[in-house]
Amino acid sequence: MSKILIRGAKVLGGEPQDVLIDGGAIAEVGTALSAEGAQVVEADGKVLLPGLVDLHTHLREPGREDSETVLTGTRAAASGGYTAVFAMANTFPVADTAGVVEQVWRLGREHGYCDVQPIGAVTVGLEGKKLAELGAMHESAAGVTVFSDDGKCVDDAVIMRRALEYVKAFGGVVAQHAQEPRLTEGAQMNEGVVSAELGLGGWPAVAEESIIARDVLLAEHVGSRVHICHLSTAGSVEIVRWAKSRGIDVTAEVTPHHLLLTDELVRTYNPVYKVNPPLRTERDVLALREALADGTIDIVATDHAPHPHEDKDCEWAAAAMGMVGLETALSVVQETMVDTGLLTWAGVAERMSFKPAEIGRAKGHGRPVSAGEPANLMLVDTEYRGSVDPAGFASRSRNTPYEGRELPGRVTHTWLRGKATLVDGKLT
Amino acid sequence: MQRHLISAADLTRDDAVLILDTAEEMARVADRPIKKLPTLRGRTVVNLFFEDSTRTRISFEAAEKRLSADVINFTAKGSSVSKGESLKDTAQTLEAMGVDAVVIRHGASGAPYRLANSGWIDAAVINAGDGTHQHPTQALLDAFTMRRRLVGRDAGIGQDLAGRRITIVGDVLHSRVARSNVDLLHTLGAEVTLVAPPTLLPVGIETWPCEVSYDLDATLSKSDAVMMLRVQRERMNAAFFPTEREYSRRYGLDGDRMARMPEHAIVMHPGPMVRGMEITAEVADSERCTAIEQVANGVSIRMAVLYLLLGGNEPAATHTRTEEK
């Protein structure tokens, strides 16, 4: 059945309306729409948002299919209300050629749970030495527009400058993992009171802030646009705020975990809290929330980083960095931003769908909920309260910091071009 | 007492004083012709060393053997354990063999905490030094040495270190000894001052229960004990200080500086000492330097810890202090 009537949904958190989907597109939005010939989904006051778009996902395929694949990762994405994810380039082999990015893009299409937009590496093998074939990746079927050496910083100022300049030719953007490498040698956690006590190597805020400062100045100098990945400190917020006030074309993302968790959790030495950039302090968390609310930080991106159990079930120093996030992102944003009154649901749609799609040039995603638009939509039950049970995750990995923690909200339905990928909380 | 000894910060004042008092009883065993107690007969203790430390391992081994425990030494240093699973695998192997206690030394901060709290193992875990985090038995033996020298061997029983002024000098940033000592000495009522160049003090130190100074000369005359930390030569290459000579001039302890300490004040060093850099031979070999005593006291402290964690409520030694009176 290609016609679906979503009845009584709070579109972007507004008054309840009906939304009629027909043949993959939104046919009509209004009240008391006819259900004739349509399958009816009773929304019962749930919030309807455009399908979420994640500008920062690790799908691990090719190379680490034991942690995640395009299939399991996109199923996790659909469970979390996403209809498009940008897959990071740090796979094995690295996504630094047209061949690899096309493979990842095609797998996403074939599985049909979520569109996968590959991110291309900035430099060959993420080694920071030689530009990858950025143009070839852009011209491939995958149509890459976002480039990042994520996991590593493009720390050479000249390479960064050239990359920023080069991608202007096709409207690309360089997404920087801001981490000054010398200042973070041996880094295990945020440098501060807790690291001093625990004797774990410190990852100082200035290692992130100094790179952001450099890169916004480079972007200004060459007239290009730069995107800052997983911004994590109060100081970084100040730099981005200054850059924007100066008219520099910079955008920035924050992860859900940096909006909620602090480095106090590292006292447990549980590597589930080990992530890069590291969990920061309460002061940073509050600054990030405020910056996301006022638009200094443009978007929420998950940095979904799946790791198998054995890479986390060990001592802290030996453990892999990263957390899964696709299936809990919206709940964390509801708890930290909506339930605190900092953001409306329309604001959530802006930061988790419209704006990330715009930054990444994701066609057909992040569009208004109105007639004629592609039916990429999701429903969230905002009244729901329940504790997180990783056993139910669609992701192949379970490294969530929220196990057993109560979080609000539950995604019940997701539609990708009018086809349901999630119904009543169950994947199709 | 808790079941494990992971951090000096986990000890209450009463726990710590109990360990020091018990160590005094244990010390008497060393004076006997047969240095052995039957206390841990039938118990198995593993010394699990992922990082080289002959001194600490031998000290624990002597303590275990004097308490009649069955001792297994397991050394797993180097790259074979760079993938962390081996800690869990090794722990579970030991568990399957019915081990009662694990004494662990590990290069990664927090490894003993993980071992004790991850459900991998039921045995008691004693931290013999983890990364740059903690070395609680070192702090206990240092406190024991201070109490003996500054309060008195018998007068010290039941006492803490209230009001004593302790100065710790050197590479605080990388020192588990410094961290453990700050925690324990604070618990015991002492006033601690850390002295180091700013590069060798961790960011965030301002929340520690101690004073911080960059000036050794200004603190010497107000110190009851000056504890010198070992400075690894490779720190020089990482730009923590300009040259060995400059470090030595500003933070080394020589005869002149020692002369400015109060008459009763002692010089301590956890060893091994780098003579000429952080401490001159003149100071190291002086009557006031307790480095060798600290080694001897280490065995008594470790006996006390093993006894209290594993031995239950029976008297530690048949010759208790009361009986001797």
Side-chain angles (χ1 to χ4, degrees), chain B residues 266-288:
Chain B
I266 56 172
V267 174
M268 306 182 70
H269 198 295
M273 291 187 278
V274 182
R275 288 164 187 251
M277 184 169 171
E278 75 249 5
I279 193 164
T280 62
E282 179 191 3
V283 177
D285 296 331
S286 84
E287 286 282 304
R288 304 172 81 172

Side-chain angles (χ1 to χ4, degrees), chain A residues 289-309:
Chain A
R289 289 182 188 182
E290 197 183 305
L292 182 64
D294 71 21
T296 301
I297 295 176
D298 301 85
I299 65 169
V300 174
T302 67
D303 195 7
H304 177 81
H307 291 294
H309 182 64

Side-chain angles (χ1 to χ4, degrees), chain A residues 331-381:
Chain A
S331 292
V332 175
V333 170
Q334 182 180 339
E335 170 152 323
T336 57
M337 301 300 295
V338 181
D339 292 353
T340 53
L342 287 167
L343 218 52
T344 62
W345 283 107
V348 173
E350 175 72 18
R351 286 154 183 81
M352 296 185 76
S353 180
F354 299 142
K355 192 73 184 180
E358 183 194 319
I359 294 170
R361 309 283 195 257
K363 292 186 190 72
H365 292 278
R367 303 294 306 164
V369 182
S370 53
E373 296 289 351
N376 295 317
L377 299 166
M378 58 90 73
L379 265 182
V380 54
D381 176 1

Side-chain angles (χ1 to χ4, degrees), chain A residues 257-279:
Chain A
H257 48 270
H258 287 111
L259 291 172
L260 182 59
L261 310 175
T262 71
D263 65 352
E264 289 292 329
L265 290 161
V266 183
R267 291 182 189 281
T268 63
Y269 284 109
N270 186 342
V272 79
Y273 300 116
K274 184 172 174 179
V275 66
N276 188 5
L279 299 178

Side-chain angles (χ1 to χ4, degrees), chain B residues 6 10 70 146 185 206 228 249 312:
Chain B
I6 306 299
D10 297 339
D70 294 321
M146 289 176 216
L185 291 172
E206 61 280 0
M228 304 306 293
R249 277 196 298 271

